[in-house]
Amino acid sequence: MVESQSPGQASETEEAARFQARVDQEIKIEPRDWMPEGYRKTLVRQISQHAHSEIVGMLPEGCWVTRAPSLRRKVQLLAKIQDEAGHGLYLYSAAETLGTPRSEMIDALHSDRAKYSNIFNYPVLSWADIGTIGWLVDGAAIINQIALCRCSYGPYARAMERICREESFHQRQGYEIMMSMAFGTSEQKRMAQSALDRWWGPSLMMFGPSDRDTAQSSQSMAWKIKRVSNDDLRQQFVDMAVPQAEYLGLKIPDPDLKWNEERGHYDFGEIDWAELKRVVSGDGPCNKERMAARIKAHEDGAWVREAAVAYAEKKRQRESAARIAAE
Amino acid sequence: MTAGNDWPLWEVFIRAREGLSHKHVGSLHACDAEMALQHARDVYTRRREGESIWVVQSTDIIASAPADKESLFDPADAKIYRHPTFYEVPDEVECL
Ligand SMILES: [Fe+2]
Ligand SMILES: [Fe+2]
């Protein structure tokens, strides 16, 4: 969009005060409004990271499309994966409104300068893992994303609303898979339990480090980019998941998990923060595989992108030649 | 390795149902108008959210500047006589 210069240039501090006042009044910030550089940077980092997660998140599920146990399961998994591609695209567009081209964000991902959700660095070992991912990973994403619908940046909040509307089927299809596994043969039930055992810890880590250890959070909270703290979101997730696991007759792998009458919440054990740190910094079971697959897909598609540009150019030239001939 | 240059950016507008006007839903990259329409269909109407799509290249949109908001729109606030509630008419006279 076109940049414009305001006639009466207000000073930086005046602008900053006006900006914060708008945020405090819950007025959404739009792309061409004045915003502090830090706000812009934080959003580009967060939204592009979110977009990368949607795109990389397709990889662990993609390899199960051909192995889905029935046609019904196959079409639902395909539809879910298509949605995740859409989510990635909505989010890249939202980030682009802040002035960073998509190609730059993708470059950052491919050259290891940007992160994506750590959860996708774990392997998907059985069909029950696909159920668990829909149930817990999409379940955690929904909790995170509902909070983000109230983010102060308009394009991000609107993308989140659209995404939240689409996510709920992801979680339900996952839970449905878990039901057929958990209520199936003893072998199926064992697979369901094993998937829960492996995905529970990483799912809790999806909400990020503990509030005790996050420096960034308070500025993001003041800017209303972040509305609910990591630990509060995590608690919401645990409170949601425990009865769901009980219904399935599965056991959450945490000896410290118990209902706390006084707090009105479930208490749960300490998270393995060392593991989070290790996997985030690149040393997880699938980090290399995921990035290699992403880069390969991008490079293998290069000729298609080039051909499309050449075709569009040829068509443009033909059309303008025809117009000249007709004149 | 580089992701290369992006295709041009397009803004997407969708008519959700017959009788409604088109509404902005987001944007996408495409190398020409035809591809922009196809991508808009795939990205923004997977659940039958639309009846009709418009795509407009983002650079073709001329937008008012946020800084001009007051000078453009505030004058209308003072023109309360443009609203029916400004006029006092008797209750017993109908159809006013
Ligand atoms: Fe998603
Ligand atoms: Fe999802």
Side-chain angles (χ1 to χ4, degrees), chain A residues 292-304:
Chain A
R294 184 79 275 284
I295 291 169
K296 181 174 187 305
H298 191 76
E299 287 176 350
D300 288 354
W303 72 270
V304 180

Side-chain angles (χ1 to χ4, degrees), chain A residues 97-112:
Chain A
T97 62
L98 292 156
T100 304
R102 184 176 66 181
S103 53
E104 230 174 275
M105 300 183 245
I106 291 177
D107 258 353
L109 173 69
H110 292 181
S111 55
D112 209 16

Side-chain angles (χ1 to χ4, degrees), chain A residues 109-163:
Chain A
L109 173 69
H110 292 181
S111 55
D112 209 16
R113 284 176 290 120
K115 299 232 173 292
Y116 54 89
S117 179
N118 195 47
I119 193 85
F120 303 120
N121 290 320
Y122 291 86
V124 182
L125 302 181
S126 84
W127 178 250
D129 289 45
I130 292 292
T132 309
I133 289 173
W135 168 35
L136 294 182
V137 175
D138 287 81
I142 290 172
I143 287 180
N144 209 0
Q145 291 174 155
I146 285 178
L148 285 169
C149 288
R150 287 163 53 234
C151 164
S152 59
Y153 188 56
Y156 193 25
R158 292 191 285 272
M160 280 300 115
E161 267 176 42
R162 195 184 176 95
I163 288 176

Side-chain angles (χ1 to χ4, degrees), chain B residues 10-28:
Chain B
W10 302 72
E11 301 301 320
V12 181
F13 300 80
I14 290 187
R15 184 203 295 287
R17 266 178 297 117
E18 262 150 32
L20 298 180
S21 50
H22 288 74
K23 189 176 164 221
H24 184 244
V25 292
S27 54
L28 50 77

Side-chain angles (χ1 to χ4, degrees), chain A residues 1-2 4 6-7 22 32-33 82-83 86-87 89-90 93 96 101-103 106-107 110-111 162 166 169-170 295 298-299 304-305 308-309 311-312 315-316, chain B residues 1-7 9 11 14 25-29 31-35 43-47 49 58-59 61-70:
Chain A
M1 291 216 187
V2 197
S4 79
S6 62
R22 292 186 63 190
R32 303 175 69 219
D33 292 336
Q82 283 174 338
D83 272 356
H87 298 174
L89 292 173
Y90 309 153
S93 325
E96 281 195 286
R102 184 176 66 181
S103 53
I106 291 177
D107 258 353
H110 292 181
S111 55
R162 195 184 176 95
E166 298 185 354
F169 118 69
H170 300 181
I295 291 169
H298 191 76
E299 287 176 350
V304 180
R305 293 191 294 276
V309 170
Y311 175 71
K315 235 176 27 176
R316 240 186 314 271
Chain B
M1 160 207 46
T2 162
N5 284 333
D6 280 323
W7 292 331
L9 193 64
E11 301 301 320
I14 290 187
V25 292
S27 54
L28 50 77
H29 290 276
C31 58
D32 61 18
E34 194 187 337
M35 182 192 267
V43 176
Y44 292 106
T45 67
R46 287 191 305 285
R47 288 175 179 76
E49 291 92 335
S58 307
T59 47
I61 291 184
I62 314 296
S64 64
D68 295 341
K69 198 170 110 186
E70 278 112 49

Side-chain angles (χ1 to χ4, degrees), chain A residues 80 84 138 167 170:
Chain A
K80 175 187 191 294
E84 306 301 4
D138 287 81
E167 283 296 352
H170 300 181

Side-chain angles (χ1 to χ4, degrees), chain A residues 14 23 60 82 88 132 140 149 185 214 221 224 232 269 286-287 302 314:
Chain A
E14 270 168 32
V23 169
Q82 283 174 338
T132 309
C149 288
T185 65
T214 49
M221 287 277 202
K224 301 197 176 179
D232 287 349
C286 300
N287 301 49
K314 190 173 81 180

